[in-house]
Amino acid sequence: MDFDLTPEQQQIRDVAREFARAELGDRIAPFDERHEFPHEIVTKLGPLGFLGALVGEEFGGAGLDYVSYALIVEELCRGDASIGITMWAHNSLCTDHIATFGSSEQKRKYLPPLASGQVLGAWGLTEPGSGSDAAALATRAELRDGEWVLNGSKAFITNASVASTVVVMARTGPERRSKGISTFILEKGMPGFSSGKPYRKLGLHASNTAELILEGARVPEANLLGERGTGFEQAMKVLEGGRIAMAAMGVGIAQAAVDQAVKYMKQRTAFGKTLAEFNGLQGMIADLATEVEVARLLTLRAAYLKDTGRPAMHAAAMAKLFASEAAMKAATKAVQIHGGAGYITEFPVERIFRDAKLTEIGEGTSEIQRMLIAREILQLT
Ligand SMILES: Cc1cc2nc3c(=O)[nH]c(=O)nc-3n(C[C@H](O)[C@H](O)[C@H](O)COP(=O)(O)OP(=O)(O)OC[C@H]3O[C@@H](n4cnc5c(N)ncnc54)[C@H](O)[C@@H]3O)c2cc1C
């Protein structure tokens, strides 16, 4: 068994780490405070190849493996999770869906501008009436005079207002549940397609999350993505990779919490000692650092399985479940280690605490991951 990253993987991780050090951290705090999307920072991800991480070189992407991609997501989220989730939704969901299931013409048309960062991508599965129970989605698409006409809405969509290329799932047949769902590529500017006002959120304030509104949205027939009726299976496959990236997001946030706790423990004194000298806090930091390492190993293993073409759904669910709960726990304990300072916005740990919660909700909640893991172990369908 080889636990070493390849020289290329190490190099990519180092580039992402340096970018996060130079561009994120304290610099993102004003955007977070203003609930503002940091266009100028996101623009810088394109030239680094991070917005085409999973796209083949023939379409202008970096053609990276999933381990490298997970390392980038981890490092960006260690710097700031709003940037991390922006990059995750663009790559794991929108771009990877087109790269995996698109026709040659669709790939030629949509991947190069996504990969270069000329446009951002979003992906809409969740609806106001269906989240965990994705097969209950109600948005409908009907073929009329050579065009698909979509009616419905999508809720909580990352990058909804800043993306130009959007992949959405809609019902195209009378079949119930997961049957009869198809996928479409939409472009901003198509008649009847718009986004709502960005939500005010608990955390990830510098990321964009909004509703997608489909009011008789007219989409060319050629923008059906993959075969009609296979949209649900496609979405589940996309979520496999998405969960690995969400696990990496959890690792990055957990590591950021530990980084901040360590820094504070060394500088703050009480009872004539630094906090680092208190046994109780040493035990806390040792537990947290161990859990971050377990989360990282689970995440990179799931990424490795995906890279080697083996089933990764079960490993992705385990990694996502563990890493997201490790992130929430590390953030909670890091606030505790800061005492009152952890409760005010001056210290980054307050933002990290708010951001961490999303990892237990997005890409399937912890309850859904447990359900998937249990079904696999118990061999239930
Ligand atoms: C910031 C943010 C960004 C997001 N980005 C995207 C995006 O880009 N694209 C997209 O499509 N979606 C996105 N989502 C949506 C996200 O994937 C859903 O919120 C998530 O899947 C949960 O669905 P829900 O909110 O409808 O909760 P519900 O499904 O209503 O769940 C409510 C509660 O019930 C529990 N529950 C539900 N079913 C079961 C069960 N069978 N057993 C046990 N417990 C259960 C859940 O775990 C949860 O605790 C985003 C959400 C947020 C908050």
Side-chain angles (χ1 to χ4, degrees), residues 11-43:
Q11 195 189 358
I12 285 157
R13 183 197 56 195
D14 293 347
V15 170
R17 188 173 288 173
E18 178 50 27
F19 176 83
R21 194 198 57 73
E23 301 285 348
L24 306 180
D26 292 346
R27 287 185 177 219
I28 208 84
F31 291 96
D32 186 81
E33 261 179 64
R34 296 193 297 264
H35 292 249
E36 183 184 328
F37 186 81
H39 286 281
E40 57 266 51
I41 297 178
V42 173
T43 303

Side-chain angles (χ1 to χ4, degrees), residues 123 125-126 131-132 156-158 358 361 363 365 367-368 371:
W123 188 84
L125 177 66
T126 308
S132 305
F156 308 133
I157 306 306
T158 304
L358 184 274
I361 296 171
E363 287 295 279
T365 61
E367 291 72 33
I368 294 302
M371 186 182 84

Side-chain angles (χ1 to χ4, degrees), residues 85 88-89 93 122-134 154-160 167 169 199 201 203-204 207-210 239 243 246 358 360-369 371 375:
I85 196 169
W88 155 83
L93 302 183
W123 188 84
L125 177 66
T126 308
E127 299 188 357
S130 61
S132 305
D133 185 11
K154 298 284 170 183
F156 308 133
I157 306 306
T158 304
N159 295 343
V167 172
M169 273 52 69
Y199 300 101
K201 306 190 291 286
L204 301 169
S207 75
N208 173 270
T209 322
L239 287 176
R243 282 178 187 149
M246 187 60 89
L358 184 274
E360 294 184 324
I361 296 171
E363 287 295 279
T365 61
S366 292
E367 291 72 33
I368 294 302
Q369 305 312 317
M371 186 182 84
R375 277 188 186 165

Side-chain angles (χ1 to χ4, degrees), residues 196-240:
K197 199 165 157 254
Y199 300 101
R200 300 282 286 189
K201 306 190 291 286
L202 169 70
L204 301 169
H205 291 171
S207 75
N208 173 270
T209 322
E211 209 180 344
L212 293 173
I213 302 161
L214 303 150
E215 289 173 326
R218 296 213 305 277
V219 180
E221 191 173 357
N223 282 31
L224 175 73
L225 179 53
E227 264 181 57
R228 181 175 177 163
T230 61
F232 191 78
E233 289 77 18
Q234 290 176 31
M236 292 306 111
K237 188 71 193 158
V238 167
L239 287 176
E240 176 185 281

Side-chain angles (χ1 to χ4, degrees), residues 66 237 240 301-313:
Y66 238 84
K237 188 71 193 158
E240 176 185 281
R301 177 172 167 272
Y304 172 77
L305 289 176
K306 192 159 171 64
D307 282 335
T308 48
R310 282 177 273 176
M313 195 66 102

